[in-house]
Amino acid sequence: MNNTFFTLLYTAAVGGAYLLSLPLLILFTFKKKYRESIPARFFLRHNPPLPGGKIWFHACSFGETRALKPLIEAFSPDAVALTTTTQTGFSEARKLAETVRYLPFEPLLWFWIGSQKVLVVMEAELWYLLFFLAGRRGAKTMLINARISDRSYESYRRFGWLYRRIFSMIDEVYAQSETDRKRLEELGAKNVQVTGNIKLARLPEATKRYEKPEGIVVTAASTHEGEEEGIVRAFVAWRANRPDAKLLVVPRHPERFGKVAGMLERMAKEEGLTFARWSETHSLDADIVLIDAMGELINFYAVSDIVVLGGAFVPVGGHNPAEVLPFGCRLISGPEIFNQKAMFSAVEGAIFSDLSGLEKALEKAVTAEPLSLREPVSLEPILEGIRDVV
């Protein structure tokens, strides 16, 4: 089947799906989560075409959009345009670029895409008409931070007939790892380079400096319901041989601060330990300290020796381990990291344990190597690929 006929057939198929979905789309516009994005993406409300001749970046979610920051900053603000598909992504995009739009649903792209210098797409936003029309109208096309996980590999292969057509229209691909490169090439990707996970290209820095207390500092970070008690019990048992150790507990959700404070105070009293709330003392001298403040986690990583990363001892999916990297900490995580597998695969040295084995994991962490990147990350090949046409 030639490309012209396939493109017309594909457009008819997605256009038909669009028409059939209109009643449901209208209904979803009343939900707060979609109140802005659905009208913009599916009805072009307040969503005019991009000005021509831009370096066009596209990402889906908040995290992917934020990861584009060092690339966007390499060019003048008036040279860049940024599109996204989610409301959280759009809110972040407005902090990064002057020209920001929602990406319309595929059949509407025929009327929306103009002539751009280059299209740079993050990760898995593999829309056929996006690449077809951008390339047809003069843009160099690039896919960056590309990855095919173990979980999605079979699905990609099952629809290989479609992905081969998409990859045939992408000029350059920048993969997260050698494994991803091989899988992408199997699906027809060409000009593939490995750059590492660009979400790790710019790591966070502490915004405040606190004095590190004596002894080993363990930070239980981004904890959820059902995790704090088990972490405290493991810490107390482990601390029996390290009486100068301190535990900082940082719950993920501020609405739980009061409840967690009561539990920590009770458990500390039972064990003959001291307890304090950071908001009341601004001191790390107590044996157990509740960090009941927002936006401070990075600053406490900077004074930590061991981080016990929450959200993975209960089935939440885990949290981002990369934020620990700049501070030379040892990292312990629970096994439930299903939302963070890509980030954990990019780092080396994480110790995994359930709550029942956490005491032993803490002892192992004392002499373990700090968390580190598995592969170096370089933005330069991507920047060179963009500069070739601008």
Side-chain angles (χ1 to χ4, degrees), residues 275-350:
F275 166 76
R277 296 182 67 152
W278 171 258
S279 62
E280 296 172 354
T281 65
H282 289 277
S283 168
L284 301 178
D285 291 336
D287 299 318
I288 300 175
V289 182
L290 172 68
I291 307 299
D292 50 350
M294 296 296 291
E296 291 275 21
L297 182 56
I298 295 298
N299 300 327
F300 290 105
Y301 282 160
V303 298
S304 300
D305 299 291
I306 300 170
V307 172
V308 180
L309 190 56
F313 299 96
V314 292
V316 169
H319 293 297
N320 186 0
E323 294 178 347
V324 177
L325 283 167
F327 307 108
C329 304
R330 285 73 177 164
L331 180 75
I332 301 172
S333 172
E336 302 281 358
I337 58 167
F338 49 86
N339 287 335
Q340 295 290 337
K341 283 188 176 180
M343 298 305 287
F344 274 95
S345 67
V347 299
E348 194 164 27

Side-chain angles (χ1 to χ4, degrees), residues 53-56 113-121 130-142 169-172 385 389-390:
K54 298 287 187 180
I55 301 167
W56 175 12
I113 288 181
S115 176
Q116 307 298 338
K117 292 180 179 179
V118 59
L119 169 65
V120 184
V121 175
L130 173 62
F131 287 103
F132 173 81
L133 292 170
R136 182 64 64 92
R137 295 172 186 178
K140 177 180 181 178
T141 54
M142 300 168 59
M169 298 181 293
I170 302 176
D171 297 315
E172 294 174 3
V389 291
V390 299

